Amino acid sequence: MKKLTSILIMAVLIFVAISILVDSESILRSVEFSLNIFKENIFPSLFPFFVLSNILVKCGFVELIGTLFKGIMGRMFRIKGAAAFVFIMSIISGNPANAKYTKELLDNGTLNKGEATKILCFTCFSNPLFILGTVSLTFLNNKEAGILILICHYLGNIIIGVMMRNYCPSEDGGKVSFREAIDKMHNKRISNNENLGVILTNSLTTSINTLLLVLGVITTFLVITTIISETISLNSVMQSTLNGFIEMTQGLKYISMEAIPLKLKCVLAVMMLSFGGLSVHMQIMSILSDAKIKYLPFLCARVMHSLISGMMVYLLFDFWF
């Protein structure tokens, strides 16, 4: 059985290599498209937040926000208040940033593996600027559609969090004390022996390395979708949808170009954004590779998020327009 697996892996790799050589023009276009996505969307939207998050962690922001939000996080999601840092920063910056923030808290012992798995499942947000800018204005050419997609996408994640509140529960409620929050933040900053120069240098290095990993994964999956498109004969809508669930951005682009009703475009778009695409899944699991986080709960959460947000857009669309 193991030999058969090795043979199949080698056969797939040889097929991919031949496809790249035979259809090099399409592959080069895919690589160019991935570089453009990285340059125009991913790097500008994620890099500042990656650097900032590292500095905030070192300066005690997690302790501050965790103490202030421990009541809300405990009552809604039955998770430590420190998870509010991942939740809030992920809403602002989008995926795969949630994996990076989760790993930071996991590495310093703030969260255990069960809590890290849980917070990862309901903080897989797409960047709001990407939804309101690229998806709504560039792809769909409809600002109102983008706002509806954004609301349903974010509400879907919150619903997932509530549904998973009994998964690895950790009680961290109690009375919120602003003075306690300030004291914890101050003590964390004082206990940190690194000076600002070292913190900034480390933040820049880790952020760039993470973003280069993201670029590599996106490029790889865009090449895979190109090979699939050339190999499997499907109608254009099905092909665009399949591509979107493999590499989200490419699927969103081509779905917006299809001659189908706007309602269906919005439903498919929010489902792709909520699922994230296998490319985003790989980015997140690559960032967390040494943490040994379970993938199955994350995958189930993404499927549920996709279905919930898609249903919400379908039901609200006619009232929205």
Side-chain angles (χ1 to χ4, degrees):
M1 186 64 184
K2 291 182 178 179
K3 287 184 179 180
L4 179 61
T5 302
S6 299
I7 292 170
L8 289 173
I9 291 172
M10 184 56 63
V12 170
L13 292 174
I14 292 172
F15 174 75
V16 170
I18 293 172
S19 299
I20 292 174
L21 292 172
V22 171
D23 195 22
S24 58
E25 187 175 345
S26 297
I27 299 299
L28 288 173
R29 283 199 300 269
S30 296
V31 174
E32 183 180 1
F33 181 60
S34 70
L35 289 172
N36 287 333
I37 294 172
F38 183 78
K39 179 181 68 175
E40 296 171 8
N41 294 299
I42 295 172
F43 190 88
S45 62
L46 291 183
F47 180 70
F49 291 106
F50 276 10
V51 176
L52 180 63
S53 69
N54 277 319
I55 298 173
L56 287 172
V57 169
K58 297 291 184 180
C59 293
F61 184 73
V62 175
E63 284 71 19
L64 173 68
I65 208 77
T67 304
L68 293 177
F69 284 87
K70 63 182 179 181
I72 295 174
M73 298 302 289
R75 284 190 292 270
M76 283 189 66
F77 307 120
R78 296 189 70 186
I79 196 168
K80 288 178 181 176
F85 171 76
V86 181
F87 189 79
I88 293 170
M89 293 296 291
S90 297
I91 288 176
I92 298 170
S93 55
N95 54 48
N98 63 324
K100 186 177 184 300
Y101 305 142
T102 300
K103 189 175 187 301
E104 289 171 1
L105 299 191
L106 187 62
D107 288 345
N108 64 27
T110 305
L111 299 176
N112 60 40
K113 286 185 179 180
E115 293 163 343
T117 301
K118 182 176 179 176
I119 190 65
L120 197 68
C121 288
F122 66 93
T123 56
C124 195
F125 297 99
S126 284
N127 187 287
L129 295 178
F130 176 71
I131 296 176
L132 296 177
T134 305
V135 176
S136 66
L137 299 180
T138 304
F139 291 164
L140 298 176
N141 195 29
N142 192 305
K143 184 178 179 180
E144 288 74 20
I147 296 172
L148 176 62
I149 289 171
L150 180 74
I151 292 171
C152 293
H153 173 65
Y154 277 39
L155 284 177
N157 246 339
I158 294 172
I159 291 171
I160 293 296
V162 173
M163 289 172 62
M164 294 186 67
R165 67 191 308 271
N166 292 322
Y167 177 85
C168 296
S170 54
E171 301 296 340
D172 190 33
K175 187 177 179 180
V176 175
S177 170
F178 186 73
R179 177 177 290 181
E180 180 189 357
I182 295 295
D183 289 341
K184 285 185 177 181
M185 178 194 68
H186 175 70
N187 293 334
K188 174 64 177 179
R189 189 187 70 81
I190 295 299
S191 66
N192 183 22
N193 295 322
E194 297 176 345
N195 60 49
L196 184 59
V198 174
I199 293 173
L200 182 59
T201 301
N202 291 338
S203 299
L204 290 169
T205 302
T206 56
S207 298
I208 290 172
N209 287 339
T210 302
L211 285 168
L212 287 176
L213 172 64
V214 171
L215 172 61
V217 174
I218 290 173
T219 304
T220 300
F221 275 84
L222 279 171
V223 170
I224 291 172
T225 58
T226 301
I227 293 173
I228 291 174
S229 298
E230 297 295 327
T231 305
I232 302 175
S233 179
L234 297 172
N235 68 60
S236 59
V237 176
M238 290 183 65
Q239 187 66 65
S240 298
T241 304
L242 176 62
N243 288 351
F245 283 98
I246 297 175
E247 206 297 308
M248 179 181 67
T249 310
Q250 189 184 53
L252 290 168
K253 177 185 176 182
Y254 289 118
I255 277 293
S256 68
M257 298 165 61
E258 296 291 343
I260 55 178
L262 178 62
K263 183 176 182 178
L264 181 56
K265 288 182 181 180
C266 290
V267 170
L268 290 174
V270 78
M271 290 183 72
M272 291 177 190
L273 287 164
S274 300
F275 182 73
L278 294 178
S279 173
V280 171
H281 292 210
M282 184 61 69
Q283 293 168 36
I284 289 173
M285 300 318 294
S286 296
I287 293 170
L288 293 165
S289 58
D290 58 345
K292 296 181 180 179
I293 297 291
K294 293 179 180 179
Y295 174 65
L296 184 59
F298 177 78
L299 175 61
C300 292
R302 298 283 60 75
V303 173
M304 289 299 298
H305 187 195
S306 179
L307 294 173
I308 290 170
S309 60
M311 184 62 68
M312 289 173 69
V313 169
Y314 181 82
L315 294 175
L316 293 175
F317 186 89
D318 294 329
F319 295 98
W320 193 262
F321 289 94

